[in-house]
């Protein structure tokens, strides 16, 4: 196989990672949703390319599912939620954008540092894809913990899951059943999150989770 | 049928008795049935153990398809098991006999009867078990059954607290034993004692196993500073249970230690012996000092158990040190002394607890300050209690003297040890042992004097009556054993020879063939002791003295003014009390060891109120170890409690940070 093909695979995987970093920097909910959609489309391209170079037609099904569900259905649904709830304003961040970006870069460095010396097992594609994938997972987690807004936390979670799919398709021989079940669990999680967000909104007139925490029954007064 | 099968049958029988107790406990005849059956079964087990030792029988093993899958439960009866089975079943038999009378007054029989059989069965299983899994399960079963007995009188807050402390300590001990067996199983790859025995251990592993065994088994036995549960739990239980707990169950702890360091993990260095020996010496002295400060009769006895466990561990430590240096003959002597003391303590401590129970039944009092003069109303109990006191104080010709004398014989051979540390430490421990023995005598002068002599200090004490014949017969049996083992110790030593030959590879000279039934631990030129001659001499001289006095003293009645010892009042409160008796020793050791606070509240001249004298004695184990430990646990629990009230985001952050930390460790590791 020409080495160009590997480079293209790296390009797509790297694209997913870069979009994760872009996602981390967004301070508007609508922009974050758009970046997430873009990331999902890039992921679909990456998986489709993997299907081609691994000659695994079943991976195409995964790519199509990622494209349809995460590239279009979920972002559109999120946009609808945001319009309905009227929360397309700035998102409050726990720590500032610059600091978050620095932390994100450090995480990417860490994941490459971790997986670079691993040699022998697997081919080169799998190898570097997994480093990217771990970076995407860590960035998704970082996004979840640095936002107060429930919708952006959902996006962080979804982006984390994109990293898992990237890792799974990079290695050879991932059964389709596992991917389908992962996709379904994401769908269920999305529904649960959606219901949850609506309930928060109905009850407290906001989707800022700090408000929610104030209403926890067992919370002890700090004294 | 192999011997071990009979032993297992006895254990199963005890468990069935426990179940029967649960089924029929509410009927009035249940106590007689349960205790009667336990007595019969204990006698069978006693016969088995005794015949095993006398026949020098071969060890027999049986594997039951229980426990861990693929391993099975191994049980084995060898000389060591047989000796401890003898102790357990002797205690079980006499306790059951005693309980036939004493147990009748139990108000809540359903809280005692089911666990009684279970407790005896558990102890029997522990001494028979021959793999790590079975011994731990049986040990936990025994602990739980005895815990249920400790909290039998659960309406008493002291009993509940005692049960709580006991449970914590028992769990801690089991944890240590679990770790010890884990190390051994790792080294040998199997859970059976046979495989562990065959494995050669590295020196670090052997030391770690010995330390864990000392802590684990020591917490069951009551080695300072792990003794804290013992003076709480033993008095809280009904008296016959106290006798079992103190006289027998602590010996099961000793058994665990002996089994591990002498048999299963036998490659020990001399320094393990030094640790056991030093700890034993400290335990003996502190135990007896605490005992002196007590005025609750059962608590006093419980603290004396701590002292005697210390004496036993001195013997065991000596045996370890000598064996590690290849001096098997002396090791056999020290081990014989320790095991002899195990037997003796089981006998006289049961006897003393039975006596305390009899006093409790007769007067309803455990507080010695409210007793007195019982020798007039309970003469038989007084006689057997006196024999028990003399035995535990190590007075010849009784059995306590023999085992302590043997321990001293081993201590006197310490110059033969090559290590200088041991050469110095062993005589120092000997001094501690001597101190403990002297203080024990003082303590039992106090116990017997305050409880049985003088005049009654309360109306209940004055109205006491002698107890029932079952209780008395149990006490007389034990008192007879004290005397017999004291005047004919050679036979007991010969019974122990299969144990010492299995564990140290050496035996003492055959004692029954010595002239005049003397005991000669090493050689006649060096030292020998003859309990029988001393007994005969004491009896003869006593009778002769009495005869002379009766013959030649005048019987004329003289009348004179009563000498009132300087007391102007004719009230029982002017007598010596238990705490006034202990005052000199409290003053000597008080401030340093016990943190004693004495407060005198004396009315000024002209004031009409009563004066008060208050003494506060604290166990330093609580002050320096358990108190700070409990506080730090509470503090960290308080701190961790905050973790219950974080936000979802904070939990996610914690997960994230933990993940990053682990990844960093992985990155740095390579």
């Amino acid at each position: 196989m020409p080495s160009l093909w590997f480079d293209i695979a790296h390009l797509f995987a790297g694209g997913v990672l870069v979009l994760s970093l872009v996602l981390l920097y967004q301070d508007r909910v609508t922009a974050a949703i758009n970046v997430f959609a873009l990331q999902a489309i890039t992921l679909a391209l990456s998986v489709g390319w993997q299907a081609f170079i691994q000659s695994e037609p079943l991976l195409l099904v995964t790519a199509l599912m990622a494209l349809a569900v995460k590239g279009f259905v979920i972002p559109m649904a999120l946009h609808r939620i945001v319009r309905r709830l009227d929360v397309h304003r700035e998102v409050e961040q726990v720590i500032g954008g610059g600091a978050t970006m620095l932390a994100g870069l450090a995480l990417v460095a860490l994941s490459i540092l971790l997986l670079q010396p691993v040699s022998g097992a697997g081919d080169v594609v799998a190898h570097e894809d997994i480093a990217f994938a771990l970076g995407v997972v860590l960035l998704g987690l970082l996004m979840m913990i640095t936002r107060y807004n429930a919708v952006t936390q959902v996006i962080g979670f979804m982006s984390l899951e994109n990293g898992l799919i990237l890792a799974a398709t990079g290695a050879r021989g991932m059964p389709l059943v596992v991917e389908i079940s992962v996709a379904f669990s994401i769908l269920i999680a999305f529904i649960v999150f959606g219901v949850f967000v609506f309930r928060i909104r109905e009850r407290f007139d906001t989707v800022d989770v700090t408000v929610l925490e104030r209403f926890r029954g067992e919370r002890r007064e700090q004294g | 049928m192999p011997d071990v099968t009979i032993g297992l049958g006895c254990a199963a029988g005890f468990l069935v008795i426990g179940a029967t107790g649960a089924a029929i406990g509410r009927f009035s005849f249940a106590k007689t049935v349960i205790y009667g059956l336990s007595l019969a079964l204990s006698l069978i087990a006693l016969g088995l153990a005794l015949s095993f030792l006398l026949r020098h029988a071969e060890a027999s093993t049986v594997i039951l398809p229980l426990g861990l899958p693929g391993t099975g439960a191994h049980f084995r009866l060898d000389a060591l098991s047989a000796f401890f089975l003898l102790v357990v079943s002797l205690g079980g038999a006499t306790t059951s006999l005693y309980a036939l009378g004493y147990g009748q007054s139990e108000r809540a029989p359903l809280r005692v009867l089911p666990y009684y059989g279970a407790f005896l069965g558990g102890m029997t299983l522990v001494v028979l078990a021959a793999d790590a899994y079975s011994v731990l399960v049986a040990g936990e079963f025994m602990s739980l059954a005895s815990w249920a007995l400790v909290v039998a009188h659960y309406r008493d807050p002291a009993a509940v607290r005692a049960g709580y402390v006991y449970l914590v300590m028992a769990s801690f001990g089991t944890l240590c034993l679990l770790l010890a067996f884990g190390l051994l199983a790792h080294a040998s790859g199997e859970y059976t004692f046979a495989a562990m025995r065959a494995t050669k251990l590295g020196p670090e592993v052997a030391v770690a196993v010995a330390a864990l065994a000392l802590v684990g088994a020591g917490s069951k036995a009551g080695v300072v500073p792990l003794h804290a549960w013992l003076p709480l739990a033993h008095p809280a239980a009904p008296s016959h249970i106290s006798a079992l707990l103190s006289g027998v169950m602590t010996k099961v702890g000793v058994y665990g230690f002996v089994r591990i360091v002498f048999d299963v993990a036998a490659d020990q260095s001399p320094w393990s012996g030094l640790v056991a020996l030093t700890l034993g010496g400290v335990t003996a002295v502190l135990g007896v000092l605490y005992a002196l400060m007590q005025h609750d009769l059962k608590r006093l006895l419980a603290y004396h158990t701590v002292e005697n466990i210390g004496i036993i561990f001195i013997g065991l430590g000596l045996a370890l040190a000598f064996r590690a240096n290849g001096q098997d003959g002396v090791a056999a002597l020290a081990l014989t002394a320790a095991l002899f003391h195990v037997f003796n303590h089981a006998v006289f401590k049961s006897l003393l607890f039975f006596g305390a129970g009899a006093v409790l039944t007769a007067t309803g009092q455990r507080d010695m300050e409210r007793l007195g003069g019982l020798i007039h109303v309970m003469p038989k109990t007084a006689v057997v209690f006196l024999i028990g006191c003399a035995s535990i104080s190590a007075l010849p010709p009784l059995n306590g003297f023999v085992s302590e004398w043997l321990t001293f014989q081993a201590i006197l051979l310490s110059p033969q040890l090559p290590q200088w540390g041991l050469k110095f430490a062993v005589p120092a421990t000997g001094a501690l042992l001597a101190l403990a023995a002297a203080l024990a005598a003082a303590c039992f002068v106090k116990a017997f004097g305050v409880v049985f002599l003088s005049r009654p200090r309360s109306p209940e004490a004055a109205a006491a009556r002698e107890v029932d014949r079952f209780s008395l017969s149990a006490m007389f049996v034990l008192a007879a054993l004290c005397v017999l083992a004291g005047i004919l110790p050679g036979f007991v030593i010969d019974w122990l020879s299969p144990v010492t030959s299995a564990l140290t590879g050496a035996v003492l000279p055959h004692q029954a063939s010595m002239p005049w039934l003397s005991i000669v631990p090493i050689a006649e030129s060096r030292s020998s002791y003859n309990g029988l001659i001393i007994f005969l001499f004491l009896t003869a001289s006593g009778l002769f003295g009495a005869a002379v006095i009766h013959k030649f003293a005048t019987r004329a009645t003289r009348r004179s003014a009563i000498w009132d010892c300087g007391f102007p009042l004719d009230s029982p409160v002017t007598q010596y009390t238990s705490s006034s008796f202990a005052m000199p020793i409290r003053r000597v050791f008080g401030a340093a060891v016990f943190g004693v606070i004495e407060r005198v509240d004396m009315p000024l001249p002209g004031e009409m109120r009563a004066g008060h004298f208050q003494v506060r004695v604290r166990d330093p184990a609580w002050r320096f170890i358990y108190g700070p430990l409990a506080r730090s646990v509470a503090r960290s629990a308080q701190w961790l409690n905050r973790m219950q009230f974080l936000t979802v985001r904070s939990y996610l952050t914690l997960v994230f940070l933990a993940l990053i930390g682990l990844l960093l460790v992985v990155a740095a590791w390579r």
Side-chain angles (χ1 to χ4, degrees), chain B residues 547-561:
Chain B
V548 166
I549 288 169
H550 277 285
K551 180 84 178 164
F552 297 108
T554 172
R555 288 176 180 251
T557 311
R558 287 173 297 164
R559 290 184 176 278
S560 62

Side-chain angles (χ1 to χ4, degrees), chain B residues 2 21 27 39 54 72 93 160 165 183 195 218 237 331 333 335 359 383 408 414 498 504 549 583:
Chain B
F27 303 112
L39 173 61
L54 287 180
V160 176
V165 174
L183 284 174
L333 167 63
L335 188 64
V359 169
V383 168
F408 273 115
S414 64
T504 63
I549 288 169
M583 189 272 268

Side-chain angles (χ1 to χ4, degrees), chain B residues 113-252:
Chain B
L113 293 181
Y115 306 114
Y116 183 74
F119 183 32
L120 288 177
M123 290 196 290
T124 312
L125 281 177
V126 171
V127 297
L128 290 177
D131 68 86
Y133 182 79
S134 314
V135 84
L136 286 174
V137 169
E140 272 306 88
F141 183 76
M142 170 189 86
S143 298
L144 285 178
S146 55
W147 171 80
L149 291 167
V150 168
V151 295
H153 296 158
Y154 66 102
R155 292 193 197 287
D156 179 6
V160 176
R161 174 162 182 268
Y164 174 69
V165 174
Y166 176 33
L167 210 55
V168 171
M169 293 298 286
S171 313
F172 175 69
T174 308
L175 174 71
C176 291
L177 287 180
L178 186 73
L179 294 177
F181 284 129
L183 284 174
L184 288 170
H186 176 72
S188 64
E190 273 192 64
Y191 287 105
T192 55
F193 286 171
M196 294 174 184
R197 199 175 290 132
T199 312
K200 183 99 177 82
L201 294 175
E204 316 83 35
V205 179
V207 166
V209 167
L212 286 168
L214 185 60
V215 174
S219 76
K220 189 64 82 207
V223 173
V224 169
L226 301 163
H227 68 289
W229 63 276
L230 207 138
L232 298 174
H234 290 182
S239 294
H240 59 301
I241 305 299
S242 310
L244 271 186
L245 286 170
S246 228
V248 181
M249 198 185 72
T250 51
K251 306 306 171 308
V252 177

